[in-house]
Amino acid sequence: MYFCSYWHFCGIFPADSSLSLDLLHILFVAIANMVLSFFHRYMLTAGLVAFAAWPFITPLWTRAKSISLSWIFFCLLLAVFPLMPVVGRQPDIF
């Protein structure tokens, strides 16, 4: 209980328990995605595609469409780079 009250006190998670549980699930998936990206680079692409969907789930899409469209475009553009081959890496033969 101390853990939850500390995070609520700092304002990181809202006081609503269902919303804070959703945020904890999102945080867990994000951390798992980062760990998987150490071994599988294409997981960075999955994370960036998820970031591209962010304006659709916030009120930003209705307030600033040009900024939202540029956010989506640049996230998807950046998502291409982890799919490219690694340059200068020697293959491990052992």
Side-chain angles (χ1 to χ4, degrees):
M1 192 64 174
Y2 179 75
F3 173 77
C4 291
S5 62
Y6 173 75
W7 290 106
H8 290 265
F9 177 73
C10 291
I12 294 174
F13 293 118
D16 184 19
S17 63
S18 66
L19 186 58
S20 67
L21 190 60
D22 291 341
L23 288 174
L24 281 174
H25 283 112
I26 291 170
L27 183 65
F28 176 76
V29 169
I31 291 172
N33 189 6
M34 292 303 294
V35 170
L36 281 173
S37 70
F38 281 111
F39 304 106
H40 307 286
R41 288 186 57 188
Y42 60 86
M43 290 306 293
L44 289 172
T45 299
L48 286 166
V49 169
F51 278 151
W54 175 67
F56 294 118
I57 60 174
T58 62
L60 183 65
W61 178 252
T62 57
R63 292 184 191 162
K65 288 199 187 257
S66 62
I67 293 173
S68 297
L69 287 174
S70 64
W71 174 270
I72 294 166
F73 172 74
F74 286 116
C75 280
L76 294 177
L77 181 68
L78 189 61
V80 172
F81 288 101
L83 298 175
M84 293 181 176
V86 179
V87 177
R89 181 175 176 199
Q90 298 292 333
D92 295 331
I93 57 173
F94 296 109

